[in-house]
Amino acid sequence: FGSSPWARTRCSPVQAASPRLGRGRQYSAARLARMSYETADSQKEEFRKYLEKNGIIAHLTRVLVSLYEEPERPANAIDYIKKYLGAPTGVDVEELRAENEELKRQNLELEEKVEGLVKQLQELQADKEEG
């Protein structure tokens, strides 16, 4: 069970949830509920720490304050937030992916052509040195 909340109890989630199966332990419904809340709370706290550590909370706060301080509310708040965060707007992602694939294909063809030309040049130089 690795890093799961049940790893500490050395029993499965089913055993941990069952008042009779938990390796001989009997849990009251209140204890099971408290364990569930503790797990959920610890996961929320861990996620909150992750967001804070990576500066996400501060950045989102700046975005929301900026939106709040706008004299006129934008028609589309999501586009405003995307623009504030620097995301491109009005871009067709599928078109960009197709273009990227085409450019990769062309690049591969050109690399193969260069490789062939280099071999041809080496052969010509070897022939010249022999002759």
Side-chain angles (χ1 to χ4, degrees):
F1 300 102
S3 64
S4 74
W6 300 284
R8 291 186 299 270
T9 62
R10 294 187 178 156
C11 59
S12 74
V14 173
Q15 288 174 326
S18 172
R20 297 191 188 271
L21 297 176
R23 290 187 58 117
R25 299 180 188 129
Q26 290 192 359
Y27 298 114
S28 68
R31 172 134 168 90
L32 287 173
R34 190 170 52 250
M35 287 170 47
S36 175
Y37 288 129
E38 288 171 1
T39 301
D41 286 345
S42 66
Q43 288 174 345
K44 287 179 187 176
E45 182 63 21
E46 185 178 317
F47 187 66
R48 188 196 62 75
K49 286 179 182 177
Y50 163 77
L51 293 175
E52 190 172 332
K53 178 183 172 189
N54 289 289
I56 295 169
I57 291 175
H59 206 69
L60 288 175
T61 301
R62 284 193 297 270
V63 170
L64 294 174
V65 167
S66 172
L67 181 61
Y68 176 77
E69 292 176 346
E70 276 293 313
E72 292 185 27
R73 301 284 184 248
N76 189 336
I78 297 295
D79 283 344
Y80 176 86
I81 291 171
K82 285 179 181 179
K83 183 178 176 185
Y84 188 93
L85 293 174
T89 55
V91 175
D92 184 4
V93 175
E94 290 304 317
E95 184 179 322
L96 288 175
R97 284 188 180 139
E99 181 182 0
N100 187 30
E101 289 302 316
E102 175 62 21
L103 291 172
K104 284 180 182 179
R105 187 190 60 73
Q106 289 176 3
N107 189 38
L108 186 60
E109 287 177 4
L110 291 171
E111 286 175 350
E112 290 171 353
K113 187 174 182 178
V114 165
E115 189 177 312
L117 291 171
V118 166
K119 285 182 182 178
Q120 187 179 8
L121 179 62
Q122 289 172 345
E123 290 171 3
L124 290 172
Q125 286 175 342
D127 288 346
K128 184 179 178 183
E129 289 174 3
E130 289 177 5

